[in-house]
Amino acid sequence: MRGTITATGILLAVVAGYALSCAIRPYRDCWCCDGRGHHRSKRKSKLSRPCRWCRASGKRLRVGRRLWNRARRLHRDAGVAR
Amino acid sequence: MTVIPFDEYDEERHVIEADQVGGPADAPDRRATFADVVSRTDSRRPIVPAVLRNQEGRRALARWSVGYGGHTALYHLTRTPKYAAKVALYAPRGAARAVGSVTWWAVGGRENFHLRQEAANKNDPHTWQQLDKRRERSSAARWWVVGAALVALVLLLAAVELAGMPPVGWYCVAVALVLVAARHGRPVDKPIVDRTVTKAPFTKLTAEQVRAAIVAMSIGVKEPGQLTFPPPGVHADGPGWLARFNLPGAIVATTVLEKRDNLAAALRLPVDQVWPEVGPDHPGQVDLWVGRYPASKMGQPRWALTSPTARTSFFEPQPFGTDARQRPIYITLFESNVLIGGQPGSGKSYAARDLADIALLDPTVEMKIAEFKGTGDFLDMAPLCSTYACGVDDEALSTGRDVLTWALAECERRGQRIKRARERGDAPLGKVTPELAAKPGSGLHPVFILLDEVHELFLAYPDAAEAAERVAKRGRALGIFLALATQIADRDSVPPNITRCVTVRWCLSVGGQVENDMILGTGAYKRGLSATVYRPRVDAGWGVVTGIEKPGSVRSFFPSDKENAAIIARAAQLRGKVVGEDVERVEARDMLADARAVLQPGESGLPWAVLAERLAAGWPEMYAGITPDMVRESLARYGVDSQDVKVGRRNIKGARRASLDAAQQRREIEAE
């Protein structure tokens, strides 16, 4: 019982923390290029190429924020006549 | 003057000097000179507030403060557990908020927050990064500030601890911090401490309301903007608001006063909440006072005479009632007489009682009270009165008449005393002075005569009415105060001459305009002095008073039974013994028999003047100061006509022997 409560508490805290980070720091470093925005070429002579995942920005929106934005857009557009 | 050059001089020539046309009619403004400044009569505001200037005010303030403070303290004390629970709930929240807001400031959370959110909403990472960099730059130094503040705080606490702060001090600091945190953590609309008083809702007067109401009254004001409000505008004045405004053009304030009902209707307020008056500056200025509550619901301030140290003076203004603004209204008993009129239930007896209380608390005043209602309204004052009569029986009525007869004779005696005093230089104005009145044995002590339901007396003894009139006229300067209270003041019950001689008229609730004007004088109703708005019983004590400094509505004080008893006890203590002596009860004389007795054998009749003289000479205790007219009217009741009587060669109006005998015979027949 105690364990369950603790687990639920921890879960809730984690969710709340994630939601907070989605709200005030919506971007995190791109997983693909580690926030650099470009990939270094294997061969040293060649120039680096931009990261395709983050479109060379080095930042990617968190998944939570992405879902949130999608939901908001759906909600906002729901009443608009086509 | 026009100068004509010599060469243009001509006999035929007329020079017409043009009148000066145009130009300013008003004197030009000029700078104030020293003389202007020093001759200014601006009233300076008092440095010490009025309430602190007298003992009574200071006491009242102290009493109020103690009462209010005590109530507040006890109220909060009983709710301490509730407050503690609230503090326990709100303090952590407040602490968290404080930490949160400091952190938020330190990280620059508010800097371009919405722009960053917008960028995130649109998934525009480049813009977001630029904005975030800017945020970082502008808040770069803030953590250092926070850190420095924390270090300073720690150092301060350490210093205080080293300086030797007792543990109690730390507890206090902790409690204060917790309280501040709770204050910071409570919702804005939920105070931690409860309210100690519930304030009643009230009406506030605005210039807009006044303007709309005056326009709606259609007294000639067309546009709301035509009304002007001289400074300080609509402002709080006592328990209400005073709007002083100027009516446009030649509209006078009395037009507003006459239509008080309409004004109240336009303001959507009860009539007794709306009190228009003529303003102080010019006849077109209105002082509209609107109470926070209707006057009938406002209660009344304490009467100064109920104070355990109260002592009045016959010669100084004393409060006898309050006006709508709860300000006391004063009357000086010396040199005035009072007529109180009003329908049953209007509070006449209480109004008369207020005056009697004033007189009672001056230990030099002799009291003579006669009330012809028979219910003993003034019974508690009887032991302090030199003469007291109560009832509608012959005995009471004749006592009432004796009082007036005595007063008349007293006027005679006092007139001579005053004359002697004046010759000595003690009475420079030919009036009783406070010094003379207070001198024992001067025979000039003030006399207070109150006749309640006086119409009974005047109907029974018409000569009493004349006596009353003469007492009212002569007694004023001689320290004899006459108060008459009556239900009806019409021609038959109270002769108009009395009404005219009385200086102060107090009209309580009456039925209509006619009764109102009978008491207050013709035209009073038209001038806006109308007591018809008051309802009997409900508005008991309210009335219109004329003859005082400012005629208007006055509500008599209404001391409780306990306060009444206290006043009487205090008066008894001040006086020690009854002031003055009872009037000599004159046995009622039969004027017809007396008139026949003074007729010498051989005289066929006597002129009224001679008859009056002989009556006065024969029985001075009864007929002193009787006039020929009084004799004529008294005998007319027996059916003695006013006929020509031959004196020498002339015919003078008088009573004939035949007529007197006939009247006697008629009476004997009627008696059988």
Side-chain angles (χ1 to χ4, degrees):
Chain A
M1 188 61 201
R2 193 181 198 123
T4 322
I5 290 173
T6 316
T8 317
I10 289 171
L11 191 69
L12 279 176
V14 167
V15 167
Y18 183 67
L20 194 70
S21 64
C22 283
I24 59 177
R25 287 206 64 84
Y27 284 97
R28 59 174 297 178
D29 287 352
C30 175
W31 58 269
C32 188
C33 58
D34 288 338
R36 281 191 294 276
H38 52 84
H39 292 286
R40 210 170 282 165
S41 171
K42 298 258 170 64
R43 285 173 292 173
K44 292 210 169 153
S45 58
K46 276 215 168 177
L47 285 172
S48 58
R49 62 183 164 80
C51 178
R52 291 154 74 191
W53 284 96
C54 57
R55 298 204 181 129
S57 69
K59 298 279 176 195
R60 274 180 65 78
L61 214 50
R62 289 179 199 273
V63 179
R65 180 72 181 218
R66 224 175 265 270
L67 289 173
W68 170 253
N69 281 354
R70 177 83 41 98
R72 258 177 50 111
R73 197 163 301 131
L74 274 174
H75 179 73
R76 197 186 60 204
D77 295 345
V80 179
R82 252 147 291 187
Chain B
M1 193 185 134
T2 312
V3 180
I4 305 162
F6 181 73
D7 53 328
E8 285 181 26
Y9 181 76
D10 187 353
E11 280 288 323
E12 303 290 310
R13 182 169 170 148
H14 294 277
V15 177
I16 298 163
E17 293 198 30
D19 292 333
Q20 196 185 354
V21 184
D26 303 320
D29 288 341
R30 61 186 176 80
R31 304 184 79 172
T33 61
F34 180 71
D36 288 340
V37 173
V38 294
S39 64
R40 270 182 199 158
T41 52
D42 305 339
S43 62
R44 293 181 184 167
R45 299 204 170 172
I47 296 168
V48 181
V51 70
L52 291 178
R53 258 179 286 161
N54 56 5
Q55 189 68 29
E56 191 68 25
R58 282 194 293 271
R59 279 216 195 106
L61 188 66
R63 250 197 322 271
W64 177 85
S65 310
V66 168
Y68 188 82
H71 171 255
T72 308
L74 274 181
Y75 186 90
H76 288 319
L77 202 64
T78 50
R79 281 158 184 74
T80 316
K82 182 181 171 185
Y83 297 158
K86 274 182 160 178
V87 166
L89 184 67
Y90 293 141
R93 259 176 69 169
R97 271 187 198 177
V99 171
S101 58
V102 168
T103 316
W104 192 239
W105 174 79
V107 300
R110 276 179 57 200
E111 308 294 327
N112 55 39
F113 177 77
H114 291 284
L115 289 174
R116 279 183 285 125
Q117 286 297 313
E118 192 56 31
N121 287 346
K122 287 186 182 150
N123 199 359
D124 184 354
H126 293 284
T127 312
W128 186 86
Q129 272 177 301
Q130 277 175 7
L131 290 167
D132 198 48
K133 281 222 176 65
R134 173 158 292 197
R135 172 194 67 76
E136 246 172 38
R137 268 206 303 278
S138 61
S139 59
R142 290 187 188 174
W143 277 119
W144 292 106
V145 175
V146 173
L150 281 175
V151 169
L153 187 66
V154 167
L155 287 179
L156 181 74
L157 293 180
V160 171
E161 174 64 42
L162 286 179
M165 176 87 132
V168 182
W170 287 121
Y171 289 134
C172 287
V173 170
V175 167
L177 275 178
V178 167
L179 288 182
V180 168
R183 171 70 182 78
H184 191 61
R186 73 163 171 80
V188 182
D189 58 344
K190 287 195 172 63
I192 292 169
V193 290
D194 292 346
R195 292 181 181 215
T196 53
V197 287
T198 311
K199 296 202 171 160
F202 54 78
T203 320
K204 186 179 188 302
L205 188 71
T206 62
E208 203 181 344
Q209 283 176 345
V210 175
R211 290 200 154 114
I214 295 293
V215 170
M217 280 169 75
S218 62
I219 50 168
V221 185
K222 306 277 189 224
E223 296 289 328
Q226 284 179 295
L227 288 191
T228 54
F229 292 83
V234 185
H235 60 279
D237 179 297
W241 281 267
L242 179 68
R244 180 170 292 169
F245 56 90
N246 299 322
L247 293 165
I251 307 172
V252 290
T254 38
T255 41
V256 176
L257 266 55
E258 279 165 23
K259 298 177 125 190
R260 183 167 160 226
D261 285 1
N262 304 43
L263 181 61
L267 287 169
R268 289 282 176 273
L269 291 173
V271 178
D272 59 342
Q273 200 171 349
V274 179
W275 302 90
E277 276 174 19
V278 181
D281 294 344
H282 55 84
Q285 189 171 62
V286 183
D287 263 2
L288 172 63
W289 189 84
V290 171
R292 288 184 201 166
Y293 315 102
S296 50
K297 295 208 177 88
M298 250 196 307
Q300 208 171 20
R302 233 168 72 95
W303 192 15
L305 265 62
T306 56
S307 134
T309 53
R311 186 177 171 141
T312 61
S313 166
F314 190 80
F315 294 91
E316 280 163 24
Q318 304 295 338
F320 71 101
T322 52
D323 65 357
R325 300 192 207 174
Q326 311 246 321
R327 296 176 300 192
I329 301 290
Y330 295 89
I331 187 175
T332 310
L333 296 187
F334 180 57
E335 288 213 295
S336 57
N337 304 297
V338 177
L339 173 73
I340 302 171
Q343 56 188 314
S346 58
K348 275 190 309 297
S349 294
Y350 246 100
R353 213 190 156 86
D354 283 354
L355 299 175
D357 282 341
I358 293 174
L360 270 176
L361 287 174
D362 180 347
T364 60
V365 180
E366 176 175 354
M367 306 288 295
K368 294 199 182 297
I369 296 179
E371 59 113 339
F372 306 110
K373 200 203 269 175
T375 51
D377 282 349
F378 300 92
L379 206 56
D380 48 351
M381 297 184 179
L384 299 171
C385 298
S386 58
T387 305
Y388 178 81
C390 165
V392 276
D393 49 359
D394 284 351
E395 198 196 332
L397 288 169
S398 75
T399 308
R401 186 176 63 165
D402 291 344
V403 166
L404 288 172
T405 315
W406 171 85
L408 211 49
E410 181 72 14
C411 282
E412 202 69 43
R413 291 192 286 272
R414 284 180 173 222
Q416 284 163 11
R417 287 173 199 148
I418 287 281
K419 205 174 129 201
R420 281 201 295 279
R422 194 172 191 169
E423 281 159 10
R424 283 199 309 272
D426 286 346
L429 295 170
K431 289 175 182 171
V432 175
T433 62
E435 294 78 35
L436 275 177
K439 212 154 93 186
S442 68
L444 291 169
H445 61 275
V447 179
F448 177 91
I449 300 175
L450 168 64
L451 304 172
D452 195 8
E453 307 288 356
V454 74
H455 49 269
E456 299 279 356
L457 176 66
F458 292 165
L459 283 175
Y461 298 108
D463 53 328
E466 264 171 72
E469 180 195 330
R470 295 182 47 174
V471 170
K473 275 182 193 159
R474 299 194 59 195
R476 264 186 60 213
L478 303 171
I480 297 179
F481 173 90
L482 187 64
L484 307 173
T486 180
Q487 283 180 18
I488 14 179
D490 61 355
R491 184 165 287 277
D492 300 325
S493 42
V494 179
N497 266 341
I498 295 184
T499 333
R500 261 174 239 140
C501 296
V502 169
T503 49
V504 177
R505 306 170 190 193
W506 190 352
C507 181
L508 296 142
S509 160
V510 286
Q513 182 181 351
V514 180
E515 295 92 321
N516 187 70
D517 283 6
M518 273 189 306
I519 295 158
L520 294 178
T522 311
Y525 187 87
K526 282 262 174 76
R527 274 179 285 139
L529 297 170
S530 96
T532 52
V533 291
Y534 304 119
R535 297 155 293 180
R537 283 186 300 285
V538 184
D539 296 330
W542 274 106
V544 176
V545 181
T546 63
I548 51 173
E549 198 179 331
K550 204 170 176 190
S553 298
V554 174
R555 184 189 188 188
S556 66
F557 282 108
F558 201 82
S560 64
D561 291 344
K562 215 169 121 190
E563 285 168 340
N564 267 329
I567 289 175
I568 303 284
R570 167 131 190 88
Q573 185 203 341
L574 281 176
R575 287 164 175 261
K577 60 177 176 53
V578 174
V579 178
E581 279 164 18
D582 199 352
V583 293
E584 204 174 314
R585 306 291 163 112
V586 183
E587 50 175 318
R589 293 208 65 91
D590 180 3
M591 198 190 269
L592 185 58
D594 290 344
R596 290 178 72 230
V598 296
L599 212 57
Q600 303 281 326
E603 285 174 335
S604 64
L606 278 178
W608 295 121
V610 179
L611 193 54
E613 256 172 45
R614 286 196 189 168
L615 285 171
W619 299 276
E621 72 283 0
M622 178 69 196
Y623 296 122
I626 197 165
T627 63
D629 283 345
M630 283 160 72
V631 178
R632 175 170 51 79
E633 275 176 25
S634 305
L635 288 181
R637 281 190 292 149
Y638 299 110
V640 180
D641 295 330
S642 183
Q643 289 165 315
D644 286 343
V645 175
K646 204 156 212 162
V647 177
R649 286 187 170 179
R650 286 186 303 146
N651 274 332
I652 303 178
K653 291 285 180 198
R656 282 195 182 164
R657 182 189 287 274
S659 173
L660 287 170
D661 289 346
Q664 178 64 23
Q665 274 174 14
R666 265 203 304 281
R667 201 163 63 165
E668 276 164 16
I669 293 164
E670 273 169 23
E672 284 167 17

